[in-house]
Amino acid sequence: MANPYAGEVRLVLDGVPHDLKLTLGALAELEEGLQDETVLQLIERFESGAFSTRDVLALIVAGLRGGGWTGTAAELLSVEIEGGLMAATKAAAQLLARAFAPSP
């Protein structure tokens, strides 16, 4: 079970539950993949509702990596996400919110 207090989010891929988390290393890899953009710009897109499916995929990959997954983004192209795009989008937004929320 994902621990929201530790910044974790659960997402089920091909029937297998995964606990995603944006660790410092995962955030660095995410920012590298954004090329000329920053994580702050990504957050702003989510806050304004102007995010893309590329943004969602990048966050899911980063969260999976932070949770210990060793796959590639290409592998996710054929994965069945329980709850579909809405679940993936919700998980991506929760990852950002939990990664940057003040500690309790």
Side-chain angles (χ1 to χ4, degrees), residues 10-96:
R10 169 120 339 150
L11 190 63
V12 179
L13 307 173
D14 284 339
V16 178
H18 293 270
D19 291 337
L20 289 63
K21 183 176 182 174
L22 291 179
T23 62
L24 185 57
L27 283 167
E29 185 176 322
L30 171 64
E31 196 162 61
E32 182 179 322
L34 294 173
Q35 297 166 354
D36 294 333
E37 297 180 330
T38 65
V39 171
L40 181 58
Q41 289 169 309
L42 178 64
I43 292 168
E44 289 172 348
R45 284 198 298 278
F46 266 83
E47 287 178 339
S48 69
F51 58 90
S52 67
T53 53
R54 181 182 64 88
D55 292 333
V56 172
L57 179 62
L59 278 163
I60 296 300
V61 169
L64 284 165
R65 290 234 195 264
W69 184 71
T70 59
T72 66
E75 291 176 50
L76 294 181
L77 298 178
S78 61
V79 167
E80 177 70 29
I81 300 171
E82 186 176 289
L85 179 60
M86 290 303 294
T89 301
K90 180 179 177 181
Q94 286 178 330
L95 280 168
L96 282 175

